[in-house]
Amino acid sequence: MGTNVEASNQPNSSEDANVSTVEKKPAVVFVLGGPGSGKGTQCANIVQQFGYTHLSAGDLLRAEIESGSENGTMIDNMINEGQIVPSEVTIKLLQRAMEESGNDKFLIDGFPRNEENRASFENLIRIEPEFILFFVCPEEEMERRLLCRNQGRKDDNIEAIRKRFKVFLESSLPVISYYDAMGKVFKINAARPVEDVFESVKSIFDKAD
Ligand code: UDP
Ligand code: MG
């Protein structure tokens, strides 16, 4: 009742003014898939062709460690154990990067990794993803790629890789299922050469644009 009264007190013109001054929410695409499924590689291609800003949650966390932040040691320990860093830390980094980019379309790579990440993003950032890209790849292939890629990552050793696979299956897949039930997930066969995978990726963004 109270809200009705308030609403009816608003002249139409001011409602219109409100609509025009509210900023349009940025477009967000979540890029998900197991470790080594090719998220970062494909994101770089999407950026080139479609003008998105690529935000890798893992890269932002690693940069936070490098910057000597007070959370650095905690983040470093968690990454080396393949564990998921508390949502508020990751979301703060994502939010800052979104603001600093000046862009209004983002590929968020490797996030959300569990239900808590997903719910916190919804509650704090309040942006619904346009869709989710899910790179599907067998573990043997992902393991091979991670062990070959030599990016100097401390978590690219067999022990940490096995932990990351386990966390992906237990915590990250449920997030993908959640969005799948909403019809928002595009599954891509990622066990193919980079160019072939990108052809599939392109057809999705061509339609979305
Ligand atoms: N990570 C995290 N939250 C995120 C993204 C990454 O805690 O939202 C941590 C987690 O420990 C993960 C590591 O960073 O295993 C590396 O993530 P990244 O996405 O860079 O690597 P990937 O597993 O996709 O190869
Ligand atoms: Mg990555």
Side-chain angles (χ1 to χ4, degrees), residues 79-180:
I79 288 182
N80 292 331
E81 288 299 313
Q83 289 171 10
I84 297 164
V85 173
S87 298
E88 74 251 30
V89 173
T90 314
I91 288 174
K92 221 174 271 168
L93 296 174
L94 285 169
Q95 191 164 26
R96 195 202 299 158
M98 287 171 82
E99 283 163 10
E100 284 173 359
S101 77
N103 202 348
D104 63 353
K105 44 204 264 196
F106 300 95
L107 301 169
I108 300 191
D109 155 8
F111 178 96
R113 267 179 141 82
N114 60 13
E115 284 289 298
E116 194 233 343
N117 275 176
R118 180 190 63 70
S120 307
F121 187 86
E122 266 177 29
N123 293 333
L124 297 171
I125 310 284
R126 301 204 162 277
I127 298 174
E128 272 271 325
E130 304 292 311
F131 57 89
I132 284 75
L133 285 189
F134 173 27
F135 291 114
V136 184
C137 195
E139 271 191 17
E140 306 82 67
E141 173 62 15
M142 295 196 287
E143 187 179 297
R144 196 161 36 236
R145 292 176 185 179
L146 294 171
L147 291 173
C148 286
R149 70 182 182 182
N150 280 324
Q151 290 179 345
R153 275 176 55 172
K154 277 194 286 175
D155 60 346
D156 279 349
N157 63 80
I158 192 66
E159 246 178 69
I161 288 169
R162 295 262 152 87
K163 289 177 187 164
R164 288 154 67 196
F165 285 158
K166 190 165 184 285
V167 169
F168 177 72
L169 292 177
E170 290 177 356
S171 304
S172 308
L173 272 184
V175 175
I176 297 169
S177 304
Y178 170 89
Y179 287 118
D180 202 20

Side-chain angles (χ1 to χ4, degrees), residues 17 25 47 61 73 169 184:
K25 280 192 180 180
V47 165
L61 290 167
T73 310
L169 292 177
K184 286 191 176 239

Side-chain angles (χ1 to χ4, degrees), residues 39-40 56 59 62 109 149 153:
K39 302 181 295 286
S56 158
D59 286 352
R62 284 183 285 273
D109 155 8
R149 70 182 182 182
R153 275 176 55 172

